[in-house]
Amino acid sequence: VKQKLSPPLLKLTGGEIFIIKNIMEFIEKVAPLHEAVIVQTNGLPLTDEKIDRLARLGNITVQISLDSSNYQGNSYRVLSESIHEMILERINKVVMAGLPLEIYGVMNNRSVPHFREFVTWCGRFEKNTPQLFPFPVRGPDSQKFRVGEEQFWYVDDLLTMLPEFSHVLPPKPYLDRLCSFYNDGGRSWR
């Protein structure tokens, strides 16, 4: 792929890539071949050593899946509050190491009531603010986790937060489409 297409960006995703044997050596080998390398993780396997090694490469962006900074809002994703706190600690370490961080948060019936708090939490990192990308729950079991109609206002509330948190939230057209997805009953754009 590198020789034929010369892609400027490489995204490594899994399952959980950081449990793969020798993944750090692989990342260190391929990172110089690309302008940017994105590594997607749940955050738990990110040790201090791995974070330091990623930061030294200079072209790594970390993507972490987290539905809320509040345990209740993230409780579909993790089984205990202590695991949730460990993820928040890893996020703090990634940010403090200066690595760009994107957080992908599923909007589900537990997480949406906490999204205002989540956006504010992301905004507290002043020098290296994570970008938060909320998106609708998907997949075969999505009905079980879907945002209820009575909760749509939480999604709409993100638009009111945009002026203050434009450094955290995606651009207005993204949020407009997200709100439209809920208020119009599904995807209405291509």
Side-chain angles (χ1 to χ4, degrees):
V1 172
K2 171 67 179 157
Q3 291 173 347
K4 295 280 185 187
L5 302 175
S6 297
L9 182 136
L10 176 66
K11 181 172 181 177
L12 302 173
T13 183
E16 176 51 60
I17 65 165
F18 286 103
I19 62 172
I20 298 171
K21 185 178 179 180
N22 299 321
I23 191 63
M24 288 304 303
E25 289 78 8
F26 176 77
I27 293 169
E28 289 165 336
K29 180 180 177 182
V30 300
L33 305 175
H34 302 276
E35 290 177 36
V37 176
I38 299 169
V39 293
Q40 188 175 38
T41 178
N42 67 20
L44 286 173
L46 286 178
T47 62
D48 291 349
E49 179 204 2
K50 287 176 184 172
I51 292 168
D52 289 343
R53 288 170 73 180
L54 292 171
R56 282 195 300 267
L57 292 170
N59 65 340
I60 304 294
T61 296
V62 177
Q63 288 180 345
I64 293 182
S65 305
L66 182 74
D67 299 341
S68 177
S69 55
N70 178 295
Y71 168 66
Q72 294 303 327
N74 198 42
S75 60
Y76 283 137
R77 194 174 289 280
V78 296
L79 299 177
S80 74
E81 195 162 357
S82 63
I83 292 173
H84 177 76
E85 290 301 321
M86 287 170 55
I87 294 169
L88 297 183
E89 287 172 22
R90 301 306 196 285
I91 287 172
N92 189 59
K93 289 179 180 188
V94 165
V95 170
M96 293 300 123
L99 284 159
L101 175 62
E102 298 174 350
I103 298 176
Y104 283 71
V106 175
M107 300 194 92
N108 59 57
N109 55 8
R110 288 186 187 169
S111 67
V112 292
H114 303 282
F115 253 79
R116 175 171 276 279
E117 173 188 352
F118 195 11
V119 171
T120 303
W121 180 82
C122 288
R124 76 179 177 87
F125 296 99
E126 293 180 13
K127 292 185 179 176
N128 184 21
T129 307
Q131 286 198 288
L132 176 60
F133 294 93
F135 62 93
V137 65
R138 303 182 284 231
D141 295 329
S142 61
Q143 290 302 311
K144 182 168 121 180
F145 307 109
R146 72 176 179 81
V147 173
E149 201 171 312
E150 72 285 356
Q151 296 178 311
F152 289 177
W153 73 271
Y154 291 118
V155 180
D156 295 335
D157 190 37
L158 294 177
L159 283 168
T160 68
M161 298 184 76
L162 189 57
E164 183 179 354
F165 292 98
S166 61
H167 60 299
V168 172
L169 290 166
K172 186 176 184 309
Y174 179 101
L175 294 177
D176 286 338
R177 287 192 305 273
L178 183 65
C179 292
S180 169
F181 176 85
Y182 288 105
N183 294 310
D184 298 341
R187 205 183 242 188
S188 59
W189 69 93
R190 285 275 175 217

